[in-house]
Amino acid sequence: MPAVIFDLDGTLADNRKLVWKSWNLILHALTGNPRTFSLEEVKSAMGLPMGEIVKRLFIPRFGEGQGRAYGEKAMLYEVDYIAEKGAHPIRGVTGMLRRLHGKYRLYIVSNCQKGYIEAFLSSTGTAPFFEGHVSWGESPRSKGENIALLMKKEGIVKALYVGDTSLDQESASFAGIPFVHASYGFGKVEGALYEASRPSEVPAIAKEVLGK
């Protein structure tokens, strides 16, 4: 059975405000500052590997050692906060997954920290749709490498990757599979062969590319 592999933030979920609130809450507890980061700063970092987010946002604000320590605490608290408050699936995502489930093997590969995918799946009730997932926190490699490793581990021969950024496009190319641009998401992509302007369009594209 062919597979559809998804990015998470901007493709399946919009957790930007949850992440922003969680970071400022934990940093307020640590520093006394009630608003360390703006929502725009958090938005600018979504989709990047956790190590890159720490370099881009936390280290310039707090210095090398403390920045890394605060970044680690913020990432851990973020997972607990989203698990408690509930992730925000993008409108139409649950229906899309329901239509794909049973026809394709479904997976998630994301640059997020360990536990973030699990928090999304458990809080949204979408865990039964997926056969597996890989996060940067579990496997600190490039997204392209993690897609390729997942395919090898799961014995996936035919697949496509759905994502919303140029990094997702590059990652799919690295893994040697077609890319579907989720243009309803956060990022901008040029030259994508396949494009979904809303989640409900993904099943038709999957059928065109993978069959079934």
Side-chain angles (χ1 to χ4, degrees), residues 52-189:
E52 183 61 30
I53 292 175
V54 171
K55 288 179 184 178
R56 181 175 295 195
L57 294 182
F58 286 83
I59 290 176
R61 192 69 52 91
F62 300 109
E64 179 73 28
Q66 202 165 51
R68 291 190 183 281
Y70 284 174
E72 182 177 345
K73 289 179 184 296
M75 303 306 166
L76 290 171
Y77 184 70
E78 174 190 324
V79 169
D80 292 339
Y81 188 81
I82 288 174
E84 177 189 350
K85 300 297 182 181
H88 292 167
I90 291 170
R91 185 175 182 180
V93 158
T94 302
M96 171 194 68
L97 295 174
R98 191 173 289 114
R99 289 169 62 191
L100 292 170
H101 182 59
K103 296 181 180 179
Y104 308 97
R105 303 171 68 187
L106 305 183
Y107 297 88
I108 298 172
V109 175
S110 170
N111 277 334
C112 61
Q113 66 271 46
K114 186 176 181 180
Y116 186 87
I117 298 175
E118 293 90 335
F120 167 78
L121 295 174
S122 63
S123 68
T124 60
T126 54
F129 295 128
F130 291 94
E131 293 192 27
H133 50 78
V134 179
S135 67
W136 180 89
E138 299 169 272
S139 177
R141 300 175 175 86
S142 73
K143 185 177 282 188
E145 290 175 304
N146 278 332
I147 293 170
L149 287 170
L150 171 76
M151 291 179 64
K152 182 177 181 180
K153 178 183 176 182
E154 296 291 322
I156 299 167
V157 176
K158 196 173 183 181
L160 59 79
Y161 189 73
V162 185
D164 67 309
T165 68
S166 57
L167 175 61
D168 293 330
Q169 184 179 35
E170 294 164 9
S171 300
S173 177
F174 178 92
I177 59 176
F179 172 70
V180 178
H181 176 212
S183 60
Y184 56 84
F186 305 156
K188 294 182 179 180
V189 172

Side-chain angles (χ1 to χ4, degrees), residues 179-184 189 191-198 201-202 205:
F179 172 70
V180 178
H181 176 212
S183 60
Y184 56 84
V189 172
L193 186 59
Y194 304 101
E195 180 179 330
S197 61
R198 59 182 65 89
E201 295 176 4
V202 173
I205 297 172

Side-chain angles (χ1 to χ4, degrees), residues 23-44:
W23 286 7
N24 281 330
L25 282 170
I26 188 64
L27 290 170
H28 184 199
L30 292 169
T31 70
N33 184 348
R35 189 175 176 183
T36 299
F37 292 116
S38 69
L39 179 57
E40 290 308 312
E41 285 177 303
V42 173
K43 286 180 177 180
S44 73

